[in-house]
Amino acid sequence: MIQSFHQMASLLSVKLSSSNFLLWKSQIYPLIRSAHLLHHIEEDAPTKMILKGDKEEENPEYTIWINNDGLLTSWLLGTMAEEVLGLVIGCNNVREIWKCLDEHFFDSTKEKEMHLKNQLAVLKGNQPLDEFIRKFKHSCDCLAAIQQPLDDVDKVFQLSRVLGSRYRTYNLVVLSKPPYPTFNEYIMGLKGFEQQLALEDEEEKAKAPNYAQAFIAQRGRGGCGRNNGGHNFNSRGRGFVQSGTYNNQGG
């Protein structure tokens, strides 16, 4: 068990501070789960004494629990910055520490939850699709870290609402009726649709210069035709003196 704690310590990249509870918790919780110690967070300690026949003796499960809880407590305290350690003074085991931290950071967690849900409602706009999906996934992951996860269908429909009109055709085809795709399936299809749109955009851009050149060429041909069709410069109008006039007048 001690070796497991050493391995877990090497996997942790942050210490708990007053501003990163969600990030810290998102790393700590999976590590504790992988060590099969979640019951230290979620359950009370087993009974210390048990009856065996007509004799009371110490519960072996309690002995194991108290040893592991001591190691886990020391490890948890080692993942906290000094500014946070003062919050858990007086806590006697992992469950008490966990509850104390949850209660202390509850208000900021609720604020974070509202902020994240507002982030999920932000329209894509001109952001690149990959970047927008990455931000959307990050907000979903943060909600899951505070035990407010969205299920796959909710994520799919929430994302579809903020993509914009460019993806309306895709959403009509994919989401018109159940069964609905999983979030990953929806993302894969969406990226394929985006690639198709990009190809069509490139084709339209390639056609645009050809249209312009054809228009210029057509105007050029039309201009030559008019010049050759009898609209040449004529000096016989008013204000122009014909050749030889001055000589005749002088004679």
Side-chain angles (χ1 to χ4, degrees), residues 162-177:
V162 294
L163 286 173
S165 59
R166 178 177 172 86
Y167 306 92
R168 182 179 294 120
T169 301
Y170 175 72
N171 286 326
L172 286 174
V173 172
V174 174
L175 303 178
S176 58
K177 60 181 180 179

Side-chain angles (χ1 to χ4, degrees), residues 27-89:
Q27 294 193 43
I28 288 288
Y29 192 87
L31 290 175
I32 296 175
R33 180 178 57 205
S34 68
H36 307 290
L37 295 172
L38 280 182
H39 56 285
H40 286 265
I41 293 174
E42 299 170 349
E43 303 171 11
D44 291 324
T47 305
K48 183 176 181 179
M49 305 300 293
I50 58 172
L51 284 174
K52 197 169 185 179
D54 58 353
K55 183 180 178 182
E56 189 177 55
E57 59 183 46
E58 188 169 284
N59 184 357
E61 291 185 4
Y62 175 81
T63 303
I64 295 172
W65 183 91
I66 203 71
N67 289 336
N68 288 340
D69 197 77
L71 288 171
L72 186 54
T73 296
S74 296
W75 178 72
L76 276 180
L77 294 176
T79 68
M80 300 177 194
E82 187 174 348
E83 61 185 292
V84 179
L85 285 172
L87 299 174
V88 296
I89 291 176

Side-chain angles (χ1 to χ4, degrees), residues 8-211:
M8 288 195 297
S10 66
L11 296 173
L12 193 64
S13 62
V14 296
K15 282 198 169 188
L16 176 61
S17 68
S18 59
S19 61
N20 68 348
F21 177 67
L22 291 178
L23 178 61
W24 175 85
K25 188 175 181 179
S26 69
Q27 294 193 43
I28 288 288
Y29 192 87
L31 290 175
I32 296 175
R33 180 178 57 205
S34 68
H36 307 290
L37 295 172
L38 280 182
H39 56 285
H40 286 265
I41 293 174
E42 299 170 349
E43 303 171 11
D44 291 324
T47 305
K48 183 176 181 179
M49 305 300 293
I50 58 172
L51 284 174
K52 197 169 185 179
D54 58 353
K55 183 180 178 182
E56 189 177 55
E57 59 183 46
E58 188 169 284
N59 184 357
E61 291 185 4
Y62 175 81
T63 303
I64 295 172
W65 183 91
I66 203 71
N67 289 336
N68 288 340
D69 197 77
L71 288 171
L72 186 54
T73 296
S74 296
W75 178 72
L76 276 180
L77 294 176
T79 68
M80 300 177 194
E82 187 174 348
E83 61 185 292
V84 179
L85 285 172
L87 299 174
V88 296
I89 291 176
C91 296
N92 297 313
N93 53 53
V94 171
R95 182 167 169 77
E96 290 182 5
I97 291 173
W98 199 263
K99 288 177 67 176
C100 177
L101 294 174
D102 260 343
E103 290 171 1
H104 177 78
F105 290 107
F106 176 78
D107 289 339
S108 60
T109 300
K110 290 300 292 183
E111 291 175 8
K112 185 69 173 179
E113 178 187 349
M114 296 305 299
H115 172 72
L116 290 169
K117 288 183 176 179
N118 288 335
Q119 287 293 104
L120 293 179
V122 173
L123 297 176
K124 175 182 176 294
N126 294 323
Q127 297 180 69
L129 182 64
D130 285 341
E131 179 183 345
F132 184 73
I133 291 174
R134 180 182 58 78
K135 291 179 180 178
F136 188 92
K137 283 183 174 180
H138 177 71
S139 296
C140 291
D141 291 341
C142 288
L143 282 169
I146 58 173
Q147 282 74 56
Q148 297 295 329
L150 298 177
D151 64 31
D152 259 21
V153 173
D154 286 340
K155 286 192 282 189
V156 166
F157 277 91
Q158 181 60 42
L159 180 57
S160 72
R161 283 192 286 267
V162 294
L163 286 173
S165 59
R166 178 177 172 86
Y167 306 92
R168 182 179 294 120
T169 301
Y170 175 72
N171 286 326
L172 286 174
V173 172
V174 174
L175 303 178
S176 58
K177 60 181 180 179
Y180 301 117
T182 66
F183 185 64
N184 286 336
E185 290 170 344
Y186 180 81
I187 293 298
M188 290 177 62
L190 183 63
K191 289 183 176 180
F193 183 76
E194 171 72 5
Q195 290 176 354
Q196 183 62 38
L197 290 178
L199 289 174
E200 293 175 3
D201 290 343
E202 289 299 321
E203 290 175 0
E204 289 299 320
K205 289 179 182 177
K207 290 177 182 177
N210 294 334
Y211 291 147

